[in-house]
Amino acid sequence: MNYATLVEPLIHFLHCRTPQAWLDEAAKPENLPLLLTDHLTCELKAAQTAAWLIRKYVADTPGAETLMSWLLPYENFIYREHPDSDFIQAHRHLGKNISRHDRFPWADSLIDKMVLLIKEELHHFYQVWAIMQRRGIDYRKITASRYAKGLLREVTTHEPDTLVDKLICGAYIEARSCERFYALAPYLDPELASFYRSLLRSEARHYQDYLALAQEISPVDITARVRQIGQREAELIAGYDSELRFHSGSPRSSGTH
């Protein structure tokens, strides 16, 4: 597979590449447990975001309860430190149909794209956890980076612009994840490099799905809004962070204080 061709559109979509200083820090063997732990948590957060969008805008009460039941084993593990769940069995229980109300003409499109995303992100969660187990890396709670919160501060407060902005933010988060998998893979051991490259196709599609939904839902062209949020995303990535995370900027020690 030509990975460069696969990621080329999203690299053009993003306003900056991952800084070399972040890659140098993330590639250090002693930082691998932290990076994998944050990656694990990010996979759940991505699934939660997609589930929240369905619950907030299109699912009826039974549909919302179904989505919450899908996420519960993963949330119990991450947030409540329950013993390791049977994530393979949990994944088998993920269905296709989410009951909804008929408020919006784009409801089916949102459900179809977000349900697929949820399933893929939860599968990636299990894959990361399996790698951690093979390497003897225990799960420990860590703090989140400023990235997602910083990006979501750009979201407007009136509909449908709120939803459109959230979808655009989702597109940038997924595109950045894909770009980082691609950029980091050459610095990793063969198993991890192969795993990160295996994620590229789905992550690349996720950002495109988010963008397509945003344009479908918006009554106006979203080009200018995409550019504005993209500029903020680049500022967060090009800036400095005191803690290494999967979506953090350059380590502060490597640049200007």
Side-chain angles (χ1 to χ4, degrees):
M1 179 185 296
N2 189 329
Y3 295 109
T5 300
L6 178 64
V7 301
E8 183 179 2
L10 68 88
I11 287 175
H12 285 299
F13 170 68
L14 295 167
H15 290 231
C16 72
R17 301 288 291 267
T18 287
Q20 186 62 45
W22 184 90
L23 290 169
D24 292 342
E25 191 71 13
K28 292 178 179 178
E30 63 267 28
N31 286 329
L32 183 59
L34 174 64
L35 201 67
L36 286 172
T37 300
D38 195 46
H39 183 181
L40 183 76
T41 305
C42 286
E43 295 292 357
L44 175 57
K45 289 178 180 177
Q48 288 174 314
T49 297
W52 182 87
L53 289 168
I54 298 173
R55 290 169 54 203
K56 168 74 174 177
Y57 292 99
V58 297
D60 58 17
T61 298
E65 291 173 349
T66 296
L67 287 165
M68 292 171 67
S69 72
W70 288 0
L71 296 172
L72 187 59
Y74 306 87
E75 292 174 336
N76 280 341
F77 178 68
I78 291 293
Y79 302 124
R80 302 171 189 98
E81 298 185 73
H82 286 192
D84 185 15
S85 299
D86 185 348
F87 295 123
I88 293 179
Q89 187 63 29
H91 200 268
R92 290 192 182 115
H93 290 160
L94 304 184
K96 294 182 179 180
N97 297 320
I98 299 295
S99 56
R100 62 174 179 84
H101 46 65
D102 295 317
R103 186 182 304 167
F104 300 113
W106 38 260
D108 285 341
S109 183
L110 188 144
I111 288 175
D112 289 346
K113 288 182 171 62
M114 293 299 102
V115 165
L116 178 58
L117 187 148
I118 291 167
K119 291 179 178 181
E120 290 178 334
E121 302 291 20
L122 293 180
H123 178 60
H124 298 164
F125 178 102
Y126 169 74
Q127 289 178 298
V128 177
W129 176 230
I131 289 172
M132 291 173 65
Q133 288 181 303
R134 287 197 297 272
R135 294 172 181 239
I137 300 172
D138 295 329
Y139 169 73
R140 293 183 175 87
K141 287 183 179 181
I142 59 174
T143 57
S145 71
R146 66 191 175 100
Y147 175 82
K149 286 185 178 179
L151 198 55
L152 289 172
R153 288 194 187 102
E154 300 300 305
V155 173
T156 54
T157 57
H158 51 84
E159 298 289 4
D161 293 345
T162 301
L163 173 55
V164 171
D165 281 359
K166 283 182 179 291
L167 292 168
I168 295 171
C169 288
Y172 275 106
I173 293 170
E174 295 290 336
R176 180 60 62 186
S177 296
C178 190
E179 187 262 351
R180 290 222 152 155
F181 293 147
Y182 176 71
L184 188 58
Y187 295 84
L188 301 175
D189 62 75
E191 181 197 29
L192 273 179
S194 177
F195 171 59
Y196 276 0
R197 290 181 178 123
S198 76
L199 302 178
L200 295 178
R201 186 176 297 279
S202 60
E203 297 297 326
R205 191 188 67 255
H206 292 168
Y207 102 88
Q208 293 170 337
D209 284 348
Y210 268 117
L211 276 184
L213 279 169
Q215 187 57 78
E216 181 179 353
I217 292 167
S218 177
V220 298
D221 182 79
I222 64 172
T223 302
R225 193 65 184 136
V226 170
R227 186 184 311 113
Q228 290 169 354
I229 293 176
Q231 289 169 349
R232 177 57 180 154
E233 194 273 344
E235 291 171 2
L236 291 164
I237 290 298
Y240 294 96
D241 279 298
S242 58
E243 294 180 310
L244 177 70
R245 296 293 185 267
F246 209 89
H247 291 94
S248 60
S250 294
R252 187 169 293 278
S253 59
S254 68
T256 303
H257 288 258

